[in-house]
Amino acid sequence: MGKKLTVILALAILLFLAGCQQQATPEDRLKEYIEHWNTGEFSEMYSAYLNTGTKEAYASEDFIERQQMLYEELAIENVEVSYTEPPEDAEWDTENPADFPVQVKMDTLAGPVEFEKTMTLLFEAQEETEAWFVEWDPSFIFEQLEKGDEVRVSTTKAERGEILDRNEQPIAINGTGFNIGVVPKSFTDAAAKEELAEILGISAASIDEKMGQSWVQEEQFVPIAKAAKTNTELLEKAAAIPGVTYQETAMREYPYGEALGHLSGYIGPITAEKLEELKDQGYTSTDSIGRRGLEQTLEERLHGANGVKILIDKQGEELTVAETPAENGETVILTIDAELQKSTFDAMEGEAGTSAAVDPNTGETLVLASSPAYDPNEYMLGISESRYKELTEDPLNPLFNRFGAAYAPGSTIKPVTAAIGMEAGTLDPAAGIQIDGATWQKDDSWGDYRVSRLHPEAPNPIDLNKALVYSDNIYFARQALEMGNEAFISGLQSFGFGEEVPFALELQTSQISNEGTLGSEGQLADTSFGQGQMLTNILHLASMYEPFLTDGIMYKPLLFMDEEKGQVWKDGLLSADNAETLRAGMRNVVVDGYAQSANSSTVKIAGKTGTAELKGAIGEEGQENGFFVAYDSESPDFILAMMIESIEDNGGSDYVAGFAAKVFEAHKTE
């Protein structure tokens, strides 16, 4: 009997305590609901917190699945929901609704969204639970949203930024081209279809596919392929076929074509792999992206950002929820002089080679050319297989960007060798040395190795001026030996060898040797006149001549007009007196030496030629690359460095000097 009484008393106490527990207030319930809201727990919000009327009006898919879908499609994140707290002495009547001001903030793909609404809680019984429940409708997703409304995203395409030269001449612009197409009613001849397919480099089946699209009408123009407006030959051939015509359309243009092809690069349709990589940056499957050259290097600056709107469609009426306007890509202005570059490219006459020109007083890059080249207009439009094969099989390799590569500079390095020797105090420019014969070696320890000279007729004694005029390898080899490894290597490093050129584009680093050291006296001798394992890129070679005009300063090479001009890269490379000595010597190279093709009657050109022999197989003659680095001695607006490959059958490096002279003469007459 005592045990039974104890159990009854315990139950009574539990019932009493349960009755004493305070019922959750509407504020308590709202807090819990908001916690789930902020973390996107829509299932819990629906099942445990929505009132009966809301559940009758909105099925779970209208609440749970729709919000989950919108959060994903609209990139909704950083949701912050809060409410305005009621007075501390607020009393709640279960017979009346409880209202709370609720503040909603979120980030979306179209920008931030923020609004305030009144949320109402009703006291009711659901199953065995009596509590306060939320009355909900779609306006708690977006303030203007009502039942039956659709939410959609509208995108405004950003304009791609343009690339201009220093004079704001167009290099890569949003211009126009042509759609080549047919009018089906007039295009019925099978032979005409085959002819069009052939000139466009596509199949007849692909023409049929485009003509068979559902929207095509007999008298309606059907686009088949695009063509740059510079491709007049293709346009004329196409228009001569019955039923074929062309219409103007918006298109990326590269007005200078091949002359700036390797520098400008081109754009093309974005690949699936690249789209996956860049999808968070606003790219879509219909976008184009930089594929080569500056179009690729500057992609982030040129692409811009598409505009995005989140819209509520109310059966024809549209309301904007959030909007981020389109941000067009930048207009990038280069230091390049497009007309000077075209003049230089044309002067090279399609020969395999490369050229660079720099302003010696600022470091601005005026020319950066690779020859031969491709037309970026052709690539941008989607090059045909036959044309691509033609380019890849061309022995001159027009797809190879030569200004990014490095080459043995040959005798063009001799003024640098002289500058290092003069500054080291081991080379007296006025002192002559006796050099006899066509070859020389220091002693028998050199074995079979000997230094050769091209002009053994040079009159003794040989001083620096004669050594430059006659490009005497033996003179410079002996000067390098006099300097010694340590001083010569240190001097070359002071001119930037072994160091990445601080430039906007990737260039192969100039090297003293493969290891950066000189392992023998023979290698030291070879390197003094630009052979051995020495390599330099063409832009660095042009920059290395700046100290001869600036009394010892080499500037950082620039590519963009908004960069600070005259940034010193290397300083104290040689004295004013030594610079003057080298300037006089390089003028004499053209007047008295073997760069006679540059001995112009209109421009007083100074410079240094160079020939670098690339060793062939045993018993075979090697290829020779010719160089000329030069400037107008009276008006040194720019230093031009030019290299032409395989000049062994064209009279040596004087062949290159003739090409360069055309550039200076054309510039003089502008």
Side-chain angles (χ1 to χ4, degrees):
M1 185 70 177
K3 286 185 180 180
K4 196 170 185 180
L5 182 59
T6 302
V7 171
I8 291 170
L9 287 171
L11 288 172
I13 292 169
L14 288 172
L15 289 170
F16 174 77
L17 291 173
C20 292
Q21 284 182 350
Q22 188 174 2
Q23 179 71 46
T25 68
E27 184 180 0
D28 295 332
R29 291 281 286 171
L30 179 62
K31 276 184 182 179
E32 294 170 6
Y33 180 79
I34 286 176
E35 286 176 7
H36 293 302
W37 191 351
N38 282 328
T39 53
E41 296 171 343
F42 302 117
S43 294
E44 183 67 18
M45 293 163 67
Y46 187 87
S47 62
Y49 291 91
L50 295 191
N51 75 334
T52 303
T54 298
K55 289 180 178 178
E56 289 174 351
Y58 301 96
S60 63
E61 58 266 24
D62 296 325
F63 183 90
I64 301 170
E65 285 83 353
R66 189 182 194 196
Q67 291 195 81
Q68 288 173 339
M69 179 190 69
L70 289 174
Y71 271 49
E72 182 176 339
E73 292 183 353
L74 306 181
I76 294 174
E77 58 184 8
N78 303 323
V79 177
E80 293 182 17
V81 184
S82 58
Y83 71 96
T84 302
E85 296 183 4
E88 289 185 8
D89 58 352
E91 295 184 1
W92 310 106
D93 181 355
T94 58
E95 298 297 321
N96 294 307
D99 293 332
F100 296 87
V102 173
Q103 298 82 38
V104 182
K105 295 180 182 179
M106 68 185 80
D107 292 326
T108 73
L109 56 76
V113 173
E114 185 174 345
F115 60 90
E116 179 172 301
K117 279 185 63 64
T118 297
M119 178 160 276
T120 298
L121 281 77
L122 303 175
F123 190 85
E124 62 182 35
Q126 290 190 18
E127 298 177 353
E128 297 179 1
T129 303
E130 286 190 342
W132 293 90
F133 291 91
V134 171
E135 189 171 55
W136 181 90
D137 64 62
S139 66
F140 287 101
I141 301 175
F142 295 126
E143 187 176 12
Q144 307 98 318
L145 190 62
E146 297 176 348
K147 189 173 184 178
D149 293 346
E150 293 297 324
V151 179
R152 67 181 185 87
V153 175
S154 171
T155 301
T156 304
K157 203 81 169 173
E159 276 196 12
R160 188 171 182 84
E162 298 185 327
I163 305 174
L164 309 178
D165 88 333
R166 64 187 301 108
N167 301 310
E168 301 195 14
Q169 293 300 303
I171 291 176
I173 59 168
N174 301 317
T176 59
F178 293 99
N179 271 324
I180 296 174
V182 302
V183 178
K185 183 179 179 180
S186 308
F187 189 71
T188 56
D189 188 354
K193 186 188 301 178
E194 292 294 337
E195 185 180 357
L196 179 61
E198 183 178 351
I199 69 169
L200 295 179
I202 59 177
S203 66
S206 67
I207 296 177
D208 287 335
E209 182 182 347
K210 291 185 178 180
M211 291 178 64
Q213 296 173 95
S214 60
W215 57 267
V216 172
Q217 302 293 321
E218 279 296 299
E219 297 182 357
Q220 190 170 2
F221 176 81
V222 181
I224 303 296
K226 291 184 177 182
K229 63 185 181 185
T230 55
N231 197 346
T232 54
E233 182 181 356
L234 175 62
L235 293 168
E236 288 171 3
K237 284 182 178 179
I241 301 171
V244 179
T245 185
Y246 52 85
Q247 294 181 354
E248 193 170 39
T249 185
M251 191 180 297
R252 193 72 164 174
E253 273 190 69
Y254 303 95
Y256 285 90
E258 293 180 357
L260 280 117
H262 282 287
L263 184 60
S264 70
Y266 57 91
I267 61 171
I270 192 168
T271 62
E273 295 77 13
K274 204 67 181 175
L275 179 60
E276 179 63 26
E277 180 186 331
L278 299 174
K279 63 182 180 182
D280 293 337
Q281 297 180 31
Y283 285 83
T284 68
S285 59
T286 60
D287 279 337
S288 290
I289 192 169
R291 291 284 188 84
R292 291 288 185 274
L294 286 171
E295 288 276 33
Q296 183 177 40
T297 301
L298 299 174
E299 175 62 28
E300 190 173 330
R301 295 175 64 182
L302 295 172
H303 177 67
N306 291 338
V308 186
K309 275 186 186 181
I310 297 175
L311 298 168
I312 295 175
D313 189 343
K314 293 179 172 291
Q315 298 180 342
E317 181 188 1
E318 289 184 341
L319 297 176
T320 301
V321 174
E323 178 179 6
T324 297
E327 185 178 332
N328 294 334
E330 290 182 46
T331 296
V332 179
I333 302 178
L334 308 180
T335 59
I336 296 292
D337 185 326
E339 288 298 320
L340 182 61
Q341 171 127 351
K342 185 178 186 304
S343 174
T344 303
F345 182 83
D346 291 346
M348 296 170 75
E349 298 182 359
E351 295 270 22
T354 182
S355 294
V358 295
D359 184 326
N361 298 305
T362 64
E364 292 169 280
T365 304
L366 304 176
V367 171
L368 203 53
S370 179
S371 173
Y374 59 84
D375 184 349
N377 294 294
E378 191 175 18
Y379 258 85
M380 179 266 302
L381 295 170
I383 194 165
S384 67
E385 286 186 19
S386 60
R387 176 60 176 151
Y388 180 71
K389 183 180 180 186
E390 181 184 347
L391 289 169
T392 55
E393 292 180 353
D394 188 327
L396 296 182
N397 199 0
L399 300 183
F400 177 55
N401 178 13
R402 290 171 168 84
F403 67 67
Y407 300 84
S411 294
T412 56
I413 207 67
K414 286 174 179 174
V416 175
T417 299
I420 295 169
M422 286 190 286
E423 290 301 308
T426 60
L427 189 157
D428 180 351
I433 58 178
Q434 185 76 21
I435 302 177
D436 298 311
T439 65
W440 174 84
Q441 62 176 192
K442 177 185 170 186
D443 53 43
D444 293 342
S445 67
W446 283 18
D448 294 334
Y449 172 75
R450 303 183 72 87
V451 177
S452 299
R453 64 199 298 220
L454 191 59
H455 298 286
E457 73 277 10
N460 281 305
I462 306 296
D463 58 13
L464 176 58
N465 183 68
K466 288 180 185 176
L468 289 170
V469 168
Y470 288 92
S471 199
D472 199 306
N473 290 347
I474 294 175
Y475 176 89
F476 287 97
R478 289 175 62 171
Q479 294 298 339
L481 291 170
E482 186 68 25
M483 276 182 259
N485 265 15
E486 186 176 336
F488 188 48
I489 290 173
S490 176
L492 289 173
Q493 289 172 340
S494 72
F495 271 82
F497 277 88
E499 184 177 336
E500 185 177 332
V501 176
F503 191 60
L505 297 177
E506 185 175 345
L507 306 173
Q508 187 175 334
T509 300
S510 300
Q511 65 175 44
I512 298 169
S513 70
N514 296 341
E515 291 78 28
T517 59
L518 298 174
S520 67
E521 289 182 330
Q523 190 177 17
L524 172 60
D526 273 348
T527 306
S528 72
F529 47 84
Q531 290 280 182
Q533 296 173 353
M534 173 178 272
L535 300 173
T536 179
N537 64 69
I538 197 71
L539 180 62
H540 187 196
L541 182 59
S543 297
M544 278 191 273
Y545 274 56
E546 288 175 3
F548 310 144
L549 299 176
T550 60
D551 297 340
I553 298 172
M554 191 192 309
Y555 294 105
K556 173 185 173 182
L558 308 176
L559 187 59
F560 304 119
M561 286 297 286
D562 59 5
E563 294 180 275
E564 180 187 348
K565 308 298 185 290
Q567 297 181 51
V568 175
W569 180 25
K570 304 291 180 181
D571 199 1
L573 295 175
L574 76 167
S575 68
D577 288 343
N578 289 338
E580 173 57 35
T581 297
L582 287 170
R583 289 196 294 272
M586 286 189 285
R587 173 62 181 148
N588 291 336
V589 166
V590 175
V591 175
D592 303 324
Y594 295 88
Q596 286 301 304
S597 293
N599 196 6
S600 169
S601 60
T602 57
V603 187
K604 296 188 184 317
I605 298 171
K608 183 69 187 78
T609 54
T611 304
E613 183 178 352
L614 310 181
K615 304 298 182 184
I618 295 175
E620 294 182 6
E621 291 293 327
Q623 172 185 317
E624 292 182 355
N625 293 340
F627 289 81
F628 190 48
V629 185
Y631 57 91
D632 179 343
S633 63
E634 291 186 321
S635 180
D637 298 332
F638 62 91
I639 297 168
L640 175 67
M642 183 181 289
M643 184 277 290
I644 301 292
E645 296 177 7
S646 301
I647 48 86
E648 56 271 13
D649 297 325
N650 292 310
S653 54
D654 184 53
Y655 179 65
V656 186
F659 286 166
K662 293 178 183 178
V663 179
F664 286 100
E665 288 169 348
H667 181 71
K668 192 80 168 181
T669 59
E670 289 178 0

